[in-house]
């Protein structure tokens, strides 16, 4: 079968590109021809350009972005190199729903997902991810995420997602999304895993044969923006007690030079390959990210999910996946850091729920082509 994937492939985000790669590989392994639609909107271009709009509101970041311009260019290239080398991108580029009409009928099946493609609060969300433009090809959603949605916001979501009623099949990534979409979608919604969990460790290992930092052992600190001062201080304290250097990624997040305040080192490489390498070779991974959590688990790391307060309230995405992985005890708070940091993570057994969901995820994918 000829299949197209529509996902957040324009994002210079490690998790977004790695989940796209994983779904692509799962479908190829099942014997299908696969392309990822090269879809990039004006908002995405603006969000991931070398000089981020936020720099212009902060003189320190703006000056820093000029000083580190070559490194920012190198970061941009690392992400694009991953698309060029590992993702099978469509020859045609699309920028809107009206462009994507050209893809309709070209493929037997168009799969939207995974990742936060239906997070209507996402700054670069686009209605194109609802596939309303698709009238000929069969369409499905795989392990889509709504982001962290609260019940009181369901009404606004309903209006947007009413358009998915003509999908052949829909699966979601979070249990909370399963409950909410079952109130909207007339067919049965299924729960499936993020596709990164469907590839075996050995498949990820093949992408990580080179250690991208000169020091071993080290701590890998991964956050979606590194903007939380309390979490940065937690990592600095953890590193001081462990006596290890901390490596971070993406110079674009550090244009103000704040990494020096915490003693962090910025990895010279960026993008998914550097991320995988840092995950594979680190001694500890300290994360504030959904995919940071998943890859810490995949690479069987001694990891902690960072929380900047002492409560145990996590957003839907993190809470659901940590329940499935049975890693709820890997949340690190400011007040229990010293007490918990030596507590080891055991990888002796996969949870029963994870094994069950892997099987159901493969079955769901198989059902799309019948």
């Amino acid at each position: 079968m000829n299949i197209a994937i529509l996902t957040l492939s324009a994002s210079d985000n490690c998790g977004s590109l790695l989940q796209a790669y994983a779904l692509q590989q799962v479908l190829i392994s099942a014997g299908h021809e696969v392309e990822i639609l090269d879809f990039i909107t004006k908002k995405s271009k603006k969000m991931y350009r070398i000089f981020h709009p936020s720099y212009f509101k902060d003189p320190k970041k703006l000056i820093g972005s000029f000083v580190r311009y070559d490194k920012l260019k190198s970061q941009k290239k690392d992400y694009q190199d991953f698309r060029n080398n590992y993702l099978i991108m469509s020859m045609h580029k699309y920028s809107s729903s009206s462009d994507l009409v050209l893809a309709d009928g070209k493929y037997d099946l168009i799969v939207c997902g995974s990742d936060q493609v239906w997070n209507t609060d996402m700054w670069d969300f686009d209605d194109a991810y609802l596939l309303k433009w698709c009238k000929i090809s069969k369409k499905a959603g795989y392990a889509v995420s709504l982001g962290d949605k609260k019940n009181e916001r369901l009404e606004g979501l309903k209006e947007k997602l009413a358009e998915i009623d003509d999908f052949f099949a829909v699966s979601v990534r979070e249990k909370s999304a399963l409950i909410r979409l079952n109130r909207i979608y007339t067919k049965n919604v299924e729960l499936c895993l993020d596709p990164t969990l469907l590839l075996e460790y050995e498949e990820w290992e093949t992408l990580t044969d080179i250690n991208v930092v000169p020091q071993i052992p080290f701590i890998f600190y991964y956050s979606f923006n590194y903007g939380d001062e309390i979490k940065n201080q937690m990592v600095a304290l953890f590193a001081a007690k462990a006596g290890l250097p901390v490596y971070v990624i993406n110079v674009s997040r550090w244009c103000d030079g704040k990494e020096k305040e915490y003693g962090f080192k910025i990895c010279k490489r960026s993008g998914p390959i550097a991320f995988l390498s840092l995950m594979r070779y680190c001694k500890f991974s300290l994360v504030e990210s959904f995919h940071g959590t998943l890859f810490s688990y995949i690479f069987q790391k001694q990891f902690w999910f960072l929380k900047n307060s002492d409560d145990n309230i996590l957003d839907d995405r993190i809470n659901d996946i940590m329940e499935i992985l049975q890693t709820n005890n890997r949340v690190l708070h400011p007040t229990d850091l010293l007490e918990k940091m030596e507590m080891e993570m055991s990888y002796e057994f996969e949870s029963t729920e994870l094994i069950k969901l892997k099987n159901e995820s493969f079955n769901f994918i198989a059902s799309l082509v019948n």
Side-chain angles (χ1 to χ4, degrees):
M1 182 176 274
N2 191 11
I3 301 174
I5 299 169
L6 181 64
T7 189
L8 304 178
S9 57
S11 300
D12 287 352
N13 176 283
C14 295
S16 295
L17 296 185
L18 289 169
Q19 64 82 25
Y21 171 79
L23 184 56
Q24 168 190 284
Q25 295 305 106
V26 168
L27 290 169
I28 288 172
S29 296
H32 306 292
E33 294 181 18
V34 182
E35 283 188 345
I36 296 173
L37 297 177
D38 196 350
F39 178 59
I40 177 167
T41 63
K42 288 180 181 178
K43 278 190 173 182
S44 291
K45 283 183 180 178
K46 185 176 182 180
M47 189 171 181
Y48 295 104
R49 67 189 187 187
I50 290 178
F51 289 105
H52 192 274
S54 65
Y55 298 165
F56 297 93
K57 299 176 183 177
D58 185 332
K60 198 171 182 180
K61 284 185 178 179
L62 184 60
I63 293 168
S65 64
F66 283 107
V67 171
R68 296 181 171 187
Y69 177 69
D70 286 344
K71 293 178 180 177
L72 289 169
K73 267 204 319 183
S74 178
Q75 174 184 313
K76 189 74 179 170
K77 182 177 183 298
D78 284 336
Y79 281 98
Q80 189 55 45
D81 283 349
F82 183 82
R83 293 185 190 91
N84 294 341
N85 297 331
Y86 297 99
L87 299 184
I88 304 169
M89 304 300 295
S90 63
M91 292 292 291
H92 193 90
K93 295 183 183 295
Y94 308 91
S95 62
S96 65
S97 291
S98 56
D99 284 345
L100 283 164
V101 169
L102 297 174
D104 190 17
K106 183 179 176 183
Y107 305 93
D108 303 308
L109 171 67
I110 295 177
V111 179
C112 186
S114 179
D115 218 348
Q116 297 185 67
V117 285
W118 290 350
N119 180 357
T120 54
D121 293 327
M122 190 170 61
W123 190 82
D124 57 340
F125 171 78
D126 194 281
D127 287 351
Y129 295 113
L130 300 172
L131 306 190
K132 189 176 181 181
W133 50 269
C134 180
K135 306 293 185 186
I136 303 169
S137 301
K138 187 164 72 169
K139 51 188 177 181
Y142 178 76
V144 295
S145 175
L146 312 183
D148 184 34
K149 296 289 186 190
K150 304 303 179 189
N151 288 327
E152 62 269 19
R153 293 155 69 192
L154 185 61
E155 287 307 313
L157 181 68
K158 232 179 196 179
E159 189 178 340
K160 286 276 186 192
L161 296 186
E163 297 175 9
I164 69 168
D165 209 47
D166 60 349
F167 273 54
F168 171 72
V170 172
S171 66
V172 292
R173 202 176 66 180
E174 284 89 40
K175 296 175 185 177
S176 54
L178 184 70
I179 295 167
R180 287 160 192 149
L181 276 194
N182 269 327
R183 300 180 199 167
I184 300 169
Y185 187 55
T186 56
K187 299 173 188 172
N188 185 49
V189 180
E190 297 186 39
L191 186 66
C192 286
L193 291 172
D194 185 276
T196 57
L197 288 169
L198 302 183
L199 295 188
E200 297 297 328
Y201 167 79
E202 290 76 17
E203 296 177 81
W204 292 117
E205 189 181 33
T206 59
L207 305 181
T208 59
D209 56 339
I210 298 173
N211 180 19
V212 294
V213 298
Q215 293 168 283
I216 291 180
F218 64 91
I219 296 166
F220 179 31
Y221 171 30
Y222 184 70
S223 168
F224 57 90
N225 69 0
Y226 297 110
D228 192 301
E229 187 174 344
I230 293 176
K231 290 172 185 172
N232 292 345
Q233 290 171 347
M234 287 173 66
V235 174
L237 177 59
F238 190 106
K241 293 297 179 182
L244 295 174
V246 176
Y247 279 89
V248 295
I249 197 171
N250 291 339
V251 69
S252 60
R253 301 300 186 186
W254 301 98
C255 281
D256 55 6
K258 277 198 170 182
E259 80 282 356
K260 296 170 188 172
E261 293 180 18
Y262 306 107
F264 302 160
K265 301 174 185 292
I266 304 176
C267 181
K268 291 181 180 178
R269 293 277 305 277
S270 295
I273 298 300
F275 169 86
L276 290 173
S277 175
L278 288 162
M279 272 296 176
R280 178 179 177 183
Y281 291 102
C282 71
K283 181 172 183 180
F284 298 101
S285 59
L286 304 179
V287 301
E288 184 200 7
S289 150
F290 177 84
H291 284 104
T293 302
L294 289 192
F295 280 98
S296 295
Y297 184 89
I298 289 166
F299 284 101
Q300 300 194 352
K301 293 291 134 182
Q302 297 304 313
F303 86 95
W304 290 102
F305 184 87
L306 302 175
K307 189 82 169 64
N308 64 2
S309 62
D310 291 331
D311 64 64
N312 288 309
I313 301 170
L314 301 172
D315 80 24
D316 293 345
R317 298 174 307 125
I318 300 301
N319 185 67
D320 286 358
I321 195 59
M322 292 189 85
E323 282 186 359
I324 290 167
L325 301 177
Q326 293 189 349
T327 56
N328 310 65
N329 64 338
R330 303 306 294 182
V331 180
L332 198 62
H333 307 89
T335 56
D336 61 17
L337 185 150
L338 297 180
E339 176 189 341
K340 278 186 171 182
M341 64 179 288
E342 298 295 336
M343 192 172 83
E344 290 196 2
M345 171 76 185
S346 172
Y347 288 95
E348 192 173 353
F349 302 105
E350 280 190 341
S351 75
T352 304
E353 186 173 11
L354 178 59
I355 294 169
K356 175 175 173 284
L357 281 171
K358 275 187 181 179
N359 291 330
E360 290 175 355
S361 298
F362 281 116
N363 289 339
F364 178 86
I365 290 170
S367 74
L368 297 181
V369 298
N370 291 335

